[in-house]
Amino acid sequence: MKKTYFNHDSVARNDYRIIKMRSKLGMESYGIFWSVLEMLFTEENKLCIEDYDSLAFGLQCDAKVLKQVIEDFDLFVVEDGCFYSRRLNNHIEDINNKSTKAKENASKRWDNATAMQPHSDRNASKVNKSISKVKKSKSIEERIIDFNKSIQSINDVSDEDKENFFLYWTEKNKSGSKFRAEMEKTFSIPLRLKRWSSNNFNKQKSRFPDYFDSLLMKRMDDSSKKEYEKHLKNLGYTTEYNPNAGQKWIKK
């Protein structure tokens, strides 16, 4: 149990026993009273002492005054050389009850989560198996046909753009198990097709400039670089290597 504080009643000074103590020993005794409670709180509400001098030294107060605070005003219970506070017993019991209840609630939440986990795992497994079955149930050729149907269902895109888009994204991998679009992490046919059309992808005259642009080439992926290089070669460009500037494209 972690105890770092206890309730300090805002009306404690009006307790008859406190008033009696203050009237005889002054406000210093009130500070001693709360210091003793703090010490008891950290010691599970029980202190045993052989003499008051050592305890008074720790509190930096007069031993005689400390003895009176503990013994003379019914603020503490003294038994067999030890003393405790009835007041603190209630606070510590309340803290313990709250701690126990919090642990029980946490345990219930954990048990519920554990009980639900297999059910969630089963559902996830069913979904994954369902997806796998769909992939296995259709050949790559059938998936390509479905891909083309989705392309053709989109309006406001020319047939030429649709055809070029289809040919580009249905290129198969080496094993022939997937086509290019399936190897993308995300692929929205409507969004990609409209972007393809608006950016004039796969149209050499408008897609690539008729001159060498080093910055443009740096931003391209490997596939686009190859197409750009092919475009430059068709225009009569060749490459030359310069030790200072690196590889350059020069038109002859």
Side-chain angles (χ1 to χ4, degrees), residues 177-228:
S177 59
K178 292 183 179 181
F179 55 90
R180 179 174 287 172
E182 290 181 330
M183 292 185 282
E184 295 289 311
K185 290 183 178 180
T186 59
F187 198 95
S188 169
I189 294 177
L191 292 177
R192 294 228 182 196
L193 178 55
K194 289 182 179 180
R195 187 163 65 246
W196 174 285
S197 178
S198 62
N199 292 338
N200 292 314
F201 287 155
N202 216 36
K203 295 179 182 178
Q204 294 277 349
K205 291 183 180 179
S206 57
R207 185 181 179 192
F208 301 120
D210 291 337
Y211 56 88
F212 174 62
D213 188 332
S214 59
L215 295 178
L216 176 62
M217 182 170 281
K218 287 180 180 179
R219 294 195 297 268
M220 291 180 176
D221 57 29
D222 291 340
S223 177
S224 298
K225 283 182 181 179
K226 289 180 181 179
E227 292 181 23
Y228 187 29

Side-chain angles (χ1 to χ4, degrees), residues 17 25 31 43 48 51 66 69 97 108 115 121 127 132 145 164 182 210 247:
R17 295 167 298 174
L25 303 177
E43 298 296 331
C48 297
D51 59 71
L66 174 61
V69 170
N97 289 338
K108 288 179 181 178
D121 290 344
V127 172
S132 298
I145 291 173
N164 290 332
E182 290 181 330
D210 291 337
Q247 182 173 284

Side-chain angles (χ1 to χ4, degrees), residues 93-119:
E93 185 178 356
D94 184 52
I95 291 172
N96 287 333
N97 289 338
K98 288 181 179 179
S99 177
T100 301
K101 187 174 182 180
K103 289 179 181 179
E104 290 175 353
N105 290 337
S107 179
K108 288 179 181 178
R109 289 195 297 270
W110 178 259
D111 291 340
N112 290 336
T114 303
M116 292 175 64
Q117 188 64 38
H119 180 70

Side-chain angles (χ1 to χ4, degrees), residues 161-178:
D161 282 334
K162 289 181 179 179
E163 179 65 18
N164 290 332
F165 181 83
F166 170 77
L167 292 174
Y168 178 80
W169 286 110
T170 53
E171 181 181 354
K172 298 177 184 178
N173 61 5
K174 291 182 179 180
S175 64
S177 59
K178 292 183 179 181

